[in-house]
Amino acid sequence: MSESVLPVSAQGVAALLNEIGQRMELGGESPFKSRTYFSAAENLLAHSVPLAQVVAQGKLKSISGVGEGIAEKIIKLHKTGTHPTLEFLREQFPAGVLDLMKIPGLGPKKAAALYQSLKIASLADLEAACLAEKLAAEKGFGAKLQAKILESLAFQKRNEGLVKINVGHTRAFASSRALRGRHPSIKDVIPAGDVRRGCEVCGPVDLVVVMDDETADAVLESSAEFRVTISPSKSLGAALLFATGTDGHVSTLRALAHAKGIELTPESMRRGTDELPCSTEAEIYAALGLHFIEPELREGRGEIERAKLSACPRLIEDKDLRGILHCHTVFSDGANTLDEMAEATRKLGFEYFGVCDHSQSAAYAGGMRIEKVRAQHALADELNRGYHGKRFRVFKGVESDILEDGALDYPAEQLDAFDFIVASVHSRFQLDRAAQTARIINAVSNPHTTILGHATGRLLLQREPYDVDVEAVLQACGEHGVAVEINADPHRLDLDWRWHQRALELGCMLAINPDAHDTAGLLNQKWGVINARKGGVEAKHVLNCMDLAGIEKHFEKRKQAARG
DNA sequence: GCCGTTTTCGGCCCGACTGTTTTCAGTCG
């Protein structure tokens, strides 16, 4: 390592502040103190001015949650990548103890206790202790927790090597940029595989390197997290097709080709000794008598049979979205104000912004009591007066908790004051299937409900969906005219794309919602669009592809119906 | 550690569940 360190980015500094906070928790510091570090990190990330500029201008303390002490730490972390306080804390616990806290059921107290009593300093240590039944014998632990930990370690193992779509994309495009400079004969590097198919979780990076100089192959080697296919331009279509997959899709295509006397390989397409053109995938599908199949649909789920009969639908694209619904602000657990969020949305070219802060039961997320709702509505009215004539509107929404019995979180007269309502489950995940299903059906049967939020509650690679009869819920949404959310947060992407077609068959509209907690989160929309494409969704199926006039009418119609 | 003052220290987001206890601490959302 060289002495001169590049300034650490805001993201890097935020990660280090979070580490300080976590280590303070482990050390038993006041939870208020560690929480300050977490919120400073969050607000630093949400701050619109570049960190280097804020530091240079001495304006760190203008960031909420940053005072004298944390400002000094941010400066040192930014300039050197560390801080004496952090180094001191790092001496108390090995890094592996932080990993323990990622296991559900293990918080800072329990993680610290396990390190101190059993010297558990990694997930491997933890697993060994559980298998040896040592954990259950510890004070404060028991057989149930031990079993739950083993289960979640197994869950992690199943998902080993997988990353969420946003990380997958960053990785693939960064490696592709890096490779491009590697050799002068490289013409292009195209991410394929899971990334190109728009999968919600991605395995190793697949790249197709386009180069016509075959002697240069040796400069590129595949590895465990990296698979490279080298292809000349003339057979790029074939190479891309094979590298994109899935195996199921490709093997069905090959069988189809075989039946037509065509041999299809990653290097070529031939009929007997005749080379057929395959520089694009379109040429290959055409030669096989198929309409072109978009990469997102190539999952071996009947798409080839459908492509024999008709062209694939014009899948939704980013530009089809006209507005944004379901976002948070400082009125609950968001980091930006309502006007910052609305203005950022308008600048992205959208026609409307639907604010949906948490409802009163979500106390942990700063859920709004009725007085706070009134204040937000007054502010929204004021902003809308300012937007008059600018073809932009703020809609007064709310993300209402679905209570245990399926009721929404405000009395009916209050519900009536909102323009629209996203109803979501945030508690009681462990209800049995029948109760959970009945609860959600009850919520979507409420005439005030406009959209069902994150229908299954899954957190990708972190938490399984709650046990619910999705078919029955979608059927109820269809019957009651409730749109089903495709939550575009890359941690969720819920409703799962495998259910999208069924939802449409049952008469549901879909809504692609970013669930943004700051202005940067508005860009989540792109993951939602990719996911919807994977589900075969078209713009006409999506609520927020309606223009401003259209959605005003939709909300108004539902409100009239709710008033009966 | 920050914040906002009833300007110098007390409050900070809190209620419910879960598994462990044997009356509650820790975790979670």
Side-chain angles (χ1 to χ4, degrees), chain A residues 212-235:
Chain A
D212 293 323
D213 170 9
E214 288 170 26
T215 61
D217 291 11
V219 301
L220 303 166
E221 271 186 18
S222 297
S223 66
E225 55 285 342
F226 215 67
R227 288 188 297 236
V228 171
T229 305
I230 296 171
S231 171
S233 314
K234 71 174 171 59
S235 57

Side-chain angles (χ1 to χ4, degrees), chain A residues 394-443:
Chain A
V394 174
F395 286 110
K396 304 167 196 164
V398 69
E399 183 177 18
S400 169
D401 265 37
I402 297 175
L403 305 182
E404 182 166 1
D405 62 356
L408 299 183
D409 202 11
Y410 295 106
E413 62 273 19
Q414 183 58 46
L415 294 173
D416 188 57
F418 294 104
D419 294 321
F420 74 106
I421 290 175
V422 176
S424 309
V425 166
H426 290 116
S427 60
R428 305 305 307 264
F429 298 115
Q430 71 296 342
L431 288 183
D432 68 45
R433 187 179 177 88
Q436 195 71 275
T437 304
R439 171 196 193 188
I440 298 174
I441 289 176
N442 193 10

Side-chain angles (χ1 to χ4, degrees), chain A residues 23 42 45 147 187 222 240 248 346 369 376 467 553:
Chain A
R23 288 181 174 281
E42 197 181 325
L45 281 179
K187 291 186 167 165
S222 297
L240 206 48
R346 196 179 68 88
R369 304 247 172 236
Q376 184 172 68
D467 194 8
K553 219 154 112 194

Side-chain angles (χ1 to χ4, degrees), chain A residues 447 550-563:
Chain A
I551 203 142
E552 273 176 343
K553 219 154 112 194
H554 177 80
F555 287 162
E556 200 45 50
K557 208 169 99 190
R558 292 202 53 87
K559 277 173 67 86
Q560 288 304 333
R563 284 172 192 149

Side-chain angles (χ1 to χ4, degrees), chain A residues 334-494:
Chain A
N336 289 104
T337 62
L338 178 56
D339 48 338
E340 284 165 350
M341 292 295 283
E343 198 47 25
T345 299
R346 196 179 68 88
K347 282 189 177 145
L348 287 170
F350 293 106
E351 298 172 32
Y352 48 92
F353 174 78
V355 63
C356 287
D357 275 304
H358 287 283
S359 62
Q360 54 191 357
S361 286
Y364 62 90
M368 301 182 293
R369 304 247 172 236
I370 287 179
E371 313 77 66
K372 223 168 174 184
V373 173
R374 294 207 182 99
Q376 184 172 68
H377 286 186
L379 178 56
D381 288 336
E382 187 189 324
L383 290 173
N384 281 333
R385 280 192 291 277
Y387 285 128
H388 186 72
K390 284 188 182 166
R391 198 182 166 74
F392 186 82
R393 178 169 168 186
V394 174
F395 286 110
K396 304 167 196 164
V398 69
E399 183 177 18
S400 169
D401 265 37
I402 297 175
L403 305 182
E404 182 166 1
D405 62 356
L408 299 183
D409 202 11
Y410 295 106
E413 62 273 19
Q414 183 58 46
L415 294 173
D416 188 57
F418 294 104
D419 294 321
F420 74 106
I421 290 175
V422 176
S424 309
V425 166
H426 290 116
S427 60
R428 305 305 307 264
F429 298 115
Q430 71 296 342
L431 288 183
D432 68 45
R433 187 179 177 88
Q436 195 71 275
T437 304
R439 171 196 193 188
I440 298 174
I441 289 176
N442 193 10
V444 300
S445 309
N446 188 316
H448 290 102
T449 301
T450 321
I451 299 172
L452 172 64
H454 44 72
T456 74
R458 74 174 180 189
L459 292 177
L460 291 165
L461 307 181
Q462 287 171 57
R463 186 176 74 203
E464 300 280 14
Y466 35 72
D467 194 8
V468 62
D469 182 346
V470 177
E471 169 86 16
V473 167
L474 294 179
Q475 191 177 347
C477 287
E479 278 168 17
H480 295 283
V482 169
V484 180
E485 178 175 85
I486 297 172
N487 189 295
D489 184 325
H491 300 290
R492 294 189 182 270
L493 294 169
D494 180 13

Side-chain angles (χ1 to χ4, degrees), chain A residues 242 246-257 304:
Chain A
F242 277 76
T246 52
D247 290 347
H249 180 83
V250 173
S251 63
T252 310
L253 279 185
R254 290 184 90 171
L256 189 61
I304 291 174

Side-chain angles (χ1 to χ4, degrees), chain A residues 485-533:
Chain A
E485 178 175 85
I486 297 172
N487 189 295
D489 184 325
H491 300 290
R492 294 189 182 270
L493 294 169
D494 180 13
L495 186 69
D496 188 288
W497 60 266
R498 294 162 188 83
W499 281 105
H500 293 180
Q501 284 304 312
R502 188 64 187 139
L504 297 176
E505 285 164 16
L506 290 167
C508 302
M509 287 288 280
L510 298 165
I512 300 178
N513 297 341
D515 199 356
H517 286 70
D518 53 38
T519 52
L522 295 170
L523 304 178
N524 283 349
Q525 286 300 68
K526 72 184 223 189
W527 310 121
V529 169
I530 291 172
N531 205 251
R533 289 173 61 83

